[in-house]
Amino acid sequence: MFKAFIGKRSKGVENIVERGAVKKFAEAIGDLNPIYVDIEFGKKSRYKQNIAPPTFPRVLDYGMIEDFHLPNVGLIHGEQSFHYERPLLVGEKITCYTEIKDYYEKKGNHGFMGFLVVSDVGEDENGQVIFQSNAVVIITEEVRKVLTV
């Protein structure tokens, strides 16, 4: 169903790791660690500034892959992992994109399910990867029927 999209990626989108967004995110996840929100604490840290929580990249803009569409409902979030080369610094400008890594199907109790493997990447201004997030989206038989109509 989505095999033709494997290897396709969105155009890079510029994002800024905004202090206010990091604070709101930290509040939302219930982790107000001073390394995320306290300016003076950040200055005294080994990073010399504040950093974003590890799951913060979920709120960044990765752009859209041309002609690729998934419904907003009926999908199952299978798994997600984050890999960092270094922390994401508050105030830095990064470029983010998303790429379809794989698609496969398995037969389950309620028909075929699709497994879409998606990678979100953030790079610094020199094109060096800061983080990569990999997620598996499960597409149920019911959703697959709607997509093929």
Side-chain angles (χ1 to χ4, degrees):
M1 177 174 264
F2 292 106
K3 286 193 180 284
F5 288 98
I6 296 172
K8 303 250 184 207
R9 69 180 248 191
S10 64
K11 292 181 181 174
V13 177
E14 186 177 286
N15 287 260
I16 296 176
V17 182
E18 297 172 343
R19 180 172 302 286
V22 168
K23 183 178 181 192
K24 285 181 183 178
F25 187 86
E27 289 170 346
I29 64 171
D31 186 357
L32 290 171
N33 187 314
I35 193 64
Y36 307 143
V37 296
D38 184 309
I39 294 172
E40 291 306 314
F41 187 93
K43 287 179 184 176
K44 294 175 185 172
S45 75
R46 64 180 163 161
Y47 308 111
K48 306 296 182 219
Q49 61 193 74
N50 297 108
I51 62 173
T55 55
F56 181 78
R58 290 293 305 137
V59 301
L60 298 174
D61 184 357
Y62 296 89
M64 303 291 290
I65 296 172
E66 191 173 332
D67 297 324
F68 179 77
H69 307 284
L70 285 175
N72 292 329
V73 295
L75 303 174
I76 299 171
H77 184 86
E79 78 178 64
Q80 185 158 15
S81 64
F82 292 86
H83 173 77
Y84 278 86
E85 296 298 325
R86 65 164 176 80
L88 192 54
L89 306 173
V90 170
E92 84 177 305
K93 188 185 303 181
I94 61 173
T95 300
C96 297
Y97 61 88
T98 190
E99 181 178 355
I100 305 298
K101 290 293 199 178
D102 196 8
Y103 177 77
Y104 55 94
E105 298 174 345
K106 291 184 179 180
K107 182 145 177 64
N109 293 338
H110 302 287
F112 279 97
M113 297 187 309
F115 293 81
L116 187 66
V117 182
V118 180
S119 179
D120 292 332
V121 178
E123 298 177 346
D124 67 17
E125 293 182 277
N126 297 317
Q128 298 296 310
V129 172
I130 300 170
F131 68 86
Q132 180 173 338
S133 168
N134 293 307
V136 177
V137 178
I138 302 170
I139 305 165
T140 63
E141 181 70 21
E142 290 75 27
V143 173
R144 288 166 43 86
K145 287 177 185 173
V146 171
L147 292 173
T148 57
V149 173

